[in-house]
């Protein structure tokens, strides 16, 4: 009996050590970087879906813009709620602030503001409003209505969604996207694709700029 008890104790100790080693390895390895990015997008999409359902917004898709991504990479995403995935992705500009207009000086770490004449983009959820004529790109734009304290001045700051000849159709990394005065602008061809999607909806579409 003593031998049996001793054997059981040895086995239990070995199992405990094995679990301990596995836990240590998991801690050292840390979370998967790809998993972190996926969960962030999924989390934003889930929150956007709920917001659209509760506020009479377009329930087919939304626009998610992740400003933590280098501006030379596709950080403008059209997320389809029905398919639960990104169906389109594009380059998008942000505000230059005190930097030179059209430069890419803040391609890695843009600043944000809700202050008039700051020439910076504003974080937060937006309702995409009326379509109108624009001086830029394909000569069409959409008004943007800020829905949060962080972007409440967007409409009176003339922050709109438009196209811009200077923006590429393809990623430019490690070069960034030319910076404007705060509008989320895309390339002409990108705008044409997004324009069709927005015009196909009877309810307003949500645009969410975050980092």
């Amino acid at each position: 009996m003593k031998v049996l008890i001793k054997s059981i104790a040895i086995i239990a100790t070995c199992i405990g050590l094995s679990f301990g080693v596995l836990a240590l390895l998991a801690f050292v390895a840390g979370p998967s970087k790809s998993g972190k990015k996926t969960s962030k997008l999924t989390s934003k999409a889930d929150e956007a879906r709920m917001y659209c359902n509760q506020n009479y917004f377009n329930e087919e898709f939304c626009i998610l813009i992740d400003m933590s991504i280098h501006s030379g990479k596709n950080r403008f995403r059209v997320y389809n709620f029905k398919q639960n995935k990104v169906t389109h992705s594009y380059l998008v500009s942000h505000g230059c602030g005190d930097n030179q207009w059209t430069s890419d000086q803040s391609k890695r770490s843009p600043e944000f503001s809700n202050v008039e004449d700051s020439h910076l983009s504003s974080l937060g959820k937006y309702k995409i409003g009326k379509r109108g004529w624009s001086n830029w790109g394909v000569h069409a734009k959409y008004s943007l209505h800020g829905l949060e304290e962080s972007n409440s001045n967007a409409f009176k700051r003339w922050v709109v969604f438009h196209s811009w000849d200077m923006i590429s159709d393809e990623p430019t990394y490690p070069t960034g996207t030319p910076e404007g005065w705060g509008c989320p602008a895309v390339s002409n061809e990108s705008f044409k694709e997004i324009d069709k999607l927005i015009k196909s909806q009877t309810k307003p579409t949500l645009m969410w700029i975050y980092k």
Side-chain angles (χ1 to χ4, degrees):
M1 180 62 72
K2 289 182 180 180
V3 174
L4 179 60
I5 293 173
K6 186 175 180 181
S7 298
I8 293 172
I10 292 172
I11 293 171
T13 301
C14 291
I15 292 173
L17 287 172
S18 297
F19 278 115
V21 170
L22 289 174
L24 179 60
L25 289 173
F27 176 79
V28 172
S32 164
K33 289 186 178 180
S34 59
K36 182 179 180 182
K37 290 181 180 178
T38 302
S39 63
K40 180 181 180 181
L41 175 63
T42 301
S43 175
K44 294 296 184 183
D46 288 343
E47 186 176 339
R49 186 200 312 271
M50 185 178 299
Y51 186 91
C52 291
N53 290 343
Q54 295 174 348
N55 293 278
Y56 200 70
F57 273 62
N58 164 15
E59 297 175 48
E60 294 291 325
F61 66 87
C62 71
I63 293 170
L64 301 175
I65 301 176
D66 187 350
M67 289 294 186
S68 69
I69 297 173
H70 187 287
S71 73
K73 298 180 179 181
N74 290 342
R75 52 185 182 167
F76 182 115
R77 285 92 169 256
V78 176
Y79 190 92
N80 188 293
F81 292 134
K82 305 298 183 183
Q83 299 178 40
N84 292 315
K85 68 177 184 179
V86 173
T87 54
H88 305 75
S89 60
Y90 310 97
L91 294 178
V92 63
S93 67
H94 62 256
C96 63
D98 293 330
N99 296 327
Q100 182 180 346
W101 182 70
T102 74
S103 74
D104 67 347
Q105 291 174 259
S106 60
K107 56 183 175 285
R108 293 186 180 85
S109 55
E111 296 181 3
F112 305 95
S113 174
N114 192 32
V115 177
E116 291 188 66
D117 298 323
S118 66
H119 297 165
L120 293 171
S121 300
S122 300
L123 298 174
K125 298 182 182 72
Y126 295 82
K127 180 179 79 171
I128 297 180
K130 290 184 178 180
R131 189 180 188 275
W133 190 87
S134 171
N135 289 317
W136 304 94
V138 297
H139 303 302
K141 68 181 179 184
Y142 284 91
S143 61
L144 293 177
H145 303 270
L147 303 172
E148 301 184 76
E149 185 177 348
S150 58
N151 62 359
S152 58
N153 293 326
F155 187 77
K156 67 180 181 181
R157 288 180 60 204
W158 294 94
V159 174
V160 297
F161 171 49
H162 65 88
S163 63
W164 191 9
D165 298 334
M166 295 194 67
I167 299 181
S168 171
D169 293 325
E170 301 295 333
T172 58
Y173 182 86
T175 301
T177 294
E179 297 165 15
W181 280 4
C183 296
V186 297
S187 74
N188 292 341
E189 291 305 314
S190 300
F191 186 91
K192 290 176 185 177
E193 294 180 5
I194 303 161
D195 190 29
K196 290 178 182 178
L197 294 174
I198 295 174
K199 288 195 294 186
S200 71
Q201 300 300 309
T202 57
K203 297 179 182 179
T205 295
L206 176 69
M207 174 185 287
W208 190 0
I209 301 177
Y210 60 89
K211 65 175 183 176

